[in-house]
Amino acid sequence: MSRKSLELDPGLQLAYLQDQQLSPVGRAAGGSLSGTELFLKLLLVTIFLPEGLSFFIGDFRLSVARVLIFGASIAAISQLSQRAGKRAVVCVPSDILALAAGAWMMLAATAIDGLTGLKGSGIEAITFTGAYLTFRYLLGPLDSSVRLARFSCKLMIVVVGIALLDPWNDQLFTYEFTKGITGYVKQGYEDALLQRAETFFRDGSVRAMGPLEHSILFGALCVWFGALAFTTFKARAFGCFVAGIAFIGVYYSQAKGPMLGYIIGFGLAIFYAATPRFTARWKLVGLLVTAVLLTVFIFSASPVATLVRLSGVSPESAWARQAIWDTGIPVVLGSPVFGIGLNGDWNWQANGALVSGSVDAFWLATAMTYGIPGSALILMTIVGSCWLGSIDRSHYLSPEERRLAVALGIVMTVFVFLGFIVHYWGTCWILIAVFAGMRANLAESAILRERAARAAENRGVIGFSGGI
């Protein structure tokens, strides 16, 4: 944020004053990056590290990112308590829902599998809730979230470059490289590579995966950050460049689901840019999507297969996903409250269309594992981060913060939609909470800055703020 822009926009002048007084993190003089912001950038880097660099502490396999998230969540709770004492907190619905989601995951797993279940689910719950708290309460002053978003997009470019080494070398380059250093071997990978299964091969070539856990997850990552950059940054050269790199990543992942997500994400971004004065744009989109879904589910005997076919996925994949839902739904209804646990048998062998126990649908998989309440709480955390309404017209956010708020909404919309035909874990699981935390932080910032602006106006601060 430049000095000139502050002088021209009274709302941002007051936002700057509010940040100086109420920001939960310290910052160096002269507008340089705070230590907390540098830490968050380091955390983002560790989120993209390959699984092979994880390590054991007792029975727990931990990654560097999980360790940092655990420590950062404690710092975030400390910041929250300090701010609560100063009444500098706005309760966004996702704040409560994220905690409830983590608590329910641990409760459900313990109810089904006892302490063994708690061990596995506890790590996942802490990762999700901790990542949310970290990016909810440790973000710093004006445009801190924008700087982190820009840094993340640059990281994505690096990840795509690394992932392209897979098809260019006709091997899972990152996995083999990490295995050579640490000795980490994943038997499922080895078996699939030996059989040249579609998990890693398509049309005779290796699918790009890079440091992520699967090609589909790599493709989803490209979609998210491509849409984020394209929507957020006014310097269109950067946004379009990142979007182009993202498309290359999706293409080489050879994953149809992320390609559909790319079309949806950029379609929404272009629609937003083309309708600057149409305030009911998202209501219209919601009505159209609802109408399509109702039509398909009412008139199609196999609605999931129909929707997947409409997305351009092969008929075989479409019917496989329909079979997953047909087999999984009775399992969910048989144990709707707590699910069947992390390692529960869902009798997939009974369906002749299924060749493995993989549940390629995030919302179904979480409902099977943690019950319907667990899946619903995760969904409501994402929705709840946007619950306070549209903030893209707030005078107390910078232009890029406003566009970032919209971009995060688009990213989470794509995530929710693809979650019906794609499963997420690992890096993507963490990023879901990161995006929700950032969106909730922006909503709070808009409200706190507006409150500070009104208080400043009452005290006559506007009279001298032009000299900032």
Side-chain angles (χ1 to χ4, degrees):
M1 182 58 57
S2 67
R3 178 188 180 94
K4 182 178 180 181
S5 64
L6 284 171
E7 291 174 350
L8 293 177
D9 193 325
L12 291 184
Q13 292 175 15
L14 290 168
Y16 178 86
L17 290 176
Q18 185 268 343
D19 275 334
Q20 297 304 303
Q21 297 170 11
L22 297 179
S23 177
V25 295
R27 61 189 62 84
S32 62
L33 291 179
S34 71
T36 303
E37 191 168 313
L38 290 173
F39 169 79
L40 292 177
K41 288 185 175 182
L42 173 63
L43 175 55
L44 287 169
V45 171
T46 63
I47 290 173
F48 292 99
L49 292 178
E51 185 180 12
L53 295 180
S54 57
F55 52 91
F56 278 101
I57 296 181
D59 294 334
F60 296 98
R61 174 176 283 279
L62 297 174
S63 64
V64 177
R66 282 174 168 173
V67 173
L68 293 181
I69 287 171
F70 180 74
S73 62
I74 295 175
I77 293 172
S78 174
Q79 293 289 354
L80 171 60
S81 63
Q82 294 177 23
R83 291 173 55 189
K86 299 177 182 178
R87 296 184 178 180
V89 177
V90 173
C91 183
V92 181
S94 55
D95 299 343
I96 298 171
L97 292 165
L99 294 172
W104 187 268
M105 290 167 64
M106 291 189 285
L107 173 63
T110 304
I112 298 300
D113 296 320
L115 291 179
T116 301
L118 179 61
K119 286 182 180 180
S121 66
I123 294 295
E124 295 301 309
I126 291 173
T127 300
F128 179 79
T129 304
Y132 175 87
L133 292 173
T134 298
F135 285 84
R136 170 68 176 88
Y137 294 110
L138 294 186
L139 286 175
L142 199 69
D143 275 344
S144 174
S145 56
V146 175
R147 290 191 292 272
L148 287 173
R150 185 184 295 272
F151 179 78
S152 299
C153 292
K154 293 177 181 178
L155 271 180
M156 189 274 292
I157 295 173
V158 175
V159 171
V160 172
I162 295 172
L164 292 180
L165 295 174
D166 295 345
W168 291 348
N169 288 275
D170 197 35
Q171 64 173 338
L172 297 182
F173 180 85
T174 304
Y175 171 70
E176 297 294 344
F177 180 77
T178 306
K179 183 172 69 173
I181 295 176
T182 65
Y184 174 78
V185 175
K186 197 164 186 175
Q187 195 56 48
Y189 284 16
E190 299 293 331
D191 294 341
L193 289 170
L194 185 63
Q195 299 168 12
R196 296 186 70 84
E198 279 203 357
T199 303
F200 298 127
F201 294 88
R202 187 156 292 174
D203 297 329
S205 62
V206 174
R207 303 169 64 182
M209 184 176 80
L212 273 80
E213 299 83 358
H214 196 284
S215 298
I216 291 178
L217 301 185
F218 167 66
L221 174 85
C222 292
V223 171
W224 296 346
F225 284 107
L228 192 74
F230 185 77
T231 308
T232 302
F233 299 109
K234 191 174 182 180
R236 288 300 179 190
F238 178 73
C240 291
F241 175 72
V242 174
I245 295 296
F247 179 81
I248 293 173
V250 175
Y251 177 80
Y252 278 98
S253 74
Q254 299 190 61
K256 295 293 181 64
M259 184 59 74
L260 171 64
Y262 190 94
I263 295 171
I264 293 173
F266 282 86
L268 291 174
I270 293 170
F271 179 63
Y272 169 73
T275 56
R277 293 181 176 82
F278 184 32
T279 58
R281 62 171 75 86
W282 302 126
K283 293 181 180 179
L284 175 62
V285 171
L287 288 173
L288 291 175
V289 171
T290 301
V292 171
L293 291 177
L294 286 176
T295 300
V296 171
F297 276 86
I298 290 173
F299 294 102
S300 174
S302 303
V304 175
T306 301
L307 288 173
V308 175
R309 286 291 305 279
L310 289 174
S311 69
V313 176
S314 65
E316 294 81 5
S317 296
W319 286 110
R321 282 169 170 78
Q322 181 67 58
I324 289 172
W325 279 88
D326 289 344
T327 307
I329 287 178
V331 175
V332 173
L333 297 179
S335 184
V337 179
F338 295 125
I340 60 174
L342 291 171
N343 301 307
D345 181 13
W346 60 292
N347 196 29
W348 61 270
Q349 301 91 338
N351 193 314
L354 300 177
V355 296
S356 75
S358 175
V359 183
D360 297 329
F362 177 77
W363 300 116
L364 178 61
T366 52
M368 290 170 61
T369 304
Y370 303 114
I372 294 174
S375 187
L377 285 169
I378 295 170
L379 173 61
M380 294 308 293
T381 298
I382 297 167
V383 175
S385 66
C386 304
W387 209 306
L388 296 185
S390 175
I391 57 174
D392 64 310
R393 292 183 296 275
S394 172
H395 298 296
Y396 303 97
L397 295 176
S398 73
E400 286 190 332
E401 283 179 321
R402 295 196 290 266
R403 291 194 295 271
L404 176 60
V406 175
L408 289 170
I410 290 173
V411 167
M412 289 188 286
T413 298
V414 173
F415 159 76
V416 170
F417 178 82
L418 290 184
F420 290 97
I421 58 174
V422 169
H423 187 40
Y424 302 108
W425 69 95
T427 299
C428 290
W429 171 247
I430 298 174
L431 288 174
I432 295 164
V434 169
F435 292 143
M438 291 179 69
R439 181 57 175 77
N441 177 272
L442 286 171
E444 178 188 64
S445 295
I447 294 172
L448 286 180
R449 291 172 187 175
E450 183 176 5
R451 289 178 184 174
R454 291 176 179 175
E457 287 175 348
N458 292 335
R459 296 195 304 268
V461 172
I462 278 288
F464 68 83
S465 61
I468 293 176

